[in-house]
Amino acid sequence: MNGAPAVSPAARPLSPNTARSRDVVRRALLVGIEYRGTKNELLGSANDVRLMREMLESRGFAAGSIVTMTEDAPTPDLIPTRANILAGLAWLVRDTLPGDALVLHFSGHGDQAEAAKGFEFEEDGLDETILPLDFDDAGEITDNELHKMLVQDLPKGVRLTAFFDCSHSGSILDLPYSYLPDGRSKKPSTFSALRSIAKSTADQAKTGNFKDAVVGGFKRSLDRIKAGSKAEDSSRIYSNGRFDTDVILLAACKESQMSADMTLEDGTHSGAFTFALTRALQEYPKPTLGKLLQATRDNLFGFEQIPQLCSSRALDMNQPFELV
């Protein structure tokens, strides 16, 4: 399966205390789901995993440090079910130390759902989710779960670079900073946040639960006003006050957009974002963050989706894009 190691992420994790002599760990988890034989079938996710593996190996990742999950997996524990994906994420961050470098790539379906109780500060009142292969039975994986595992609980000094090729992925990790290619930081205003809250409250009221809708909307508004419109305030909420995480997300589209597949010249298929990203890295082997984001967007000319770059901390978009 695309060169996947025979080691299960759940069965025998790579531990820096046993698998290296204090050397830096480079570790990657690549997940591609096509939902074959269902009404949700995609065409390019398995090919996305191949493209990302080739890109990582060309940038110094050893083949044995990359775990892939697709429907063609050689062992049951590498099939991208909800349980296996969560086990893979646990493996990815387990026993990591300052200086370690992690990569996560997900290609599949993304969705949105009403924000879970306790997470009402979501500006649009919605959680973003990814869909495991067995989501109909086991459920989706929410941005809150992903944030806790990959951001909130990530050890200080560990770098994580995440790529999500799925719909609604722009805020999939609930990161407080979002950047344009020219370096400007996008910070949503309190007014736009309250407007989104008002809309979601009105939509909920239409279902007949008027009292709960109004009370819930009022509470969300107060929470948002208290949080403020600055990214630093959002970071305190999202990361329990931490400012020392080092997470960068490159996402296929805004949280309000859908992502697309594309047909390649040889007749095969790929996620449009993954192809645009890997092509940009071939064209510009040592890009800045701003250049990589702009080149990826340029390669998606004609597509409605707009790739996003978000982070857990303030960035200089003129700094080099580095995975290690």
Side-chain angles (χ1 to χ4, degrees):
M1 175 198 62
N2 297 321
V7 179
S8 161
R12 198 176 72 187
L14 299 176
S15 168
N17 297 321
T18 58
R20 64 181 172 99
S21 300
R22 307 304 295 174
D23 293 332
V24 170
V25 160
R26 299 177 180 178
R27 191 183 301 170
L29 175 66
L30 313 180
V31 181
I33 313 177
E34 296 187 336
Y35 314 91
R36 296 172 188 168
T38 74
K39 64 181 181 180
N40 304 300
E41 187 167 2
L42 296 173
L43 298 176
S45 298
N47 197 37
D48 288 346
V49 168
R50 178 186 65 80
L51 291 173
M52 291 298 294
R53 170 178 279 278
E54 291 175 353
M55 183 274 287
L56 291 176
E57 291 181 353
S58 73
R59 290 175 177 265
F61 277 71
S65 69
I66 303 172
V67 167
T68 62
M69 291 186 174
T70 71
E71 285 140 284
D72 296 324
T75 58
D77 48 2
L78 291 176
I79 300 294
T81 63
R82 188 181 199 278
N84 286 344
I85 292 174
L86 291 176
L89 295 175
W91 164 82
L92 185 66
V93 302
R94 185 179 297 150
D95 296 333
T96 49
L97 297 174
D100 291 344
L102 314 176
V103 171
L104 171 65
H105 174 256
F106 175 83
S107 178
H109 279 303
D111 199 0
Q112 291 180 308
E114 184 177 351
K117 185 176 181 180
F119 292 87
E120 293 90 347
F121 54 79
E122 292 277 5
E123 289 176 13
D124 56 4
L126 299 172
D127 282 332
E128 280 64 52
T129 66
I130 58 173
L131 275 60
L133 183 61
D134 61 344
F135 70 92
D136 276 335
D137 297 320
E140 303 174 11
I141 299 174
T142 70
D143 51 3
N144 305 321
E145 294 174 281
L146 294 172
H147 177 87
K148 186 176 190 309
M149 294 183 72
L150 301 174
V151 183
Q152 185 175 313
D153 293 343
L154 191 69
K156 180 179 179 180
V158 176
R159 173 181 294 176
L160 170 67
T161 306
F163 306 93
F164 278 78
D165 194 345
C166 58
S167 298
H168 312 296
S169 52
S171 60
I172 193 64
L173 293 183
D174 278 342
L175 299 175
Y177 294 89
S178 181
Y179 288 92
L180 297 170
D182 62 8
R184 287 178 293 162
S185 176
K186 299 188 296 180
K187 299 176 183 178
S189 67
T190 301
F191 174 76
S192 66
L194 296 182
R195 182 175 58 188
S196 296
I197 291 171
K199 182 180 184 302
S200 65
T201 301
D203 290 342
Q204 185 179 358
K206 291 177 183 178
T207 67
N209 195 357
F210 182 79
K211 180 179 178 181
D212 289 347
V214 172
V215 172
F218 181 71
K219 182 179 182 300
R220 289 195 297 273
S221 299
L222 286 179
D223 289 344
R224 183 59 187 171
I225 291 171
K226 291 177 182 178
S229 61
K230 294 182 179 180
E232 288 83 358
D233 292 330
S234 297
S235 183
R236 290 191 181 94
I237 295 174
Y238 290 137
S239 301
N240 285 350
R242 290 187 56 191
F243 289 91
D244 53 17
T245 55
D246 189 5
V247 181
I248 292 178
L249 165 69
L250 280 154
C253 57
K254 297 179 179 180
E255 65 180 20
S256 60
Q257 294 179 324
M258 307 287 285
S259 62
D261 277 343
M262 66 184 302
T263 302
L264 307 183
E265 292 180 355
D266 61 2
T268 61
H269 301 274
S270 177
F273 167 72
T274 299
F275 178 78
L277 172 76
T278 54
R279 183 174 181 178
L281 288 170
Q282 291 173 351
E283 296 169 334
Y284 306 100
K286 297 181 179 180
T288 64
L289 290 173
K291 182 64 177 178
L292 177 58
L293 180 58
Q294 185 62 62
T296 302
R297 290 183 173 188
D298 291 344
N299 288 339
L300 280 172
F301 178 78
F303 288 83
E304 294 184 2
Q305 67 194 78
I306 304 175
Q308 305 292 299
L309 190 149
C310 306
S311 69
S312 61
R313 57 181 176 83
L315 293 176
D316 178 356
M317 292 295 280
N318 290 316
Q319 73 185 61
F321 168 76
E322 297 175 325
L323 292 174
V324 295

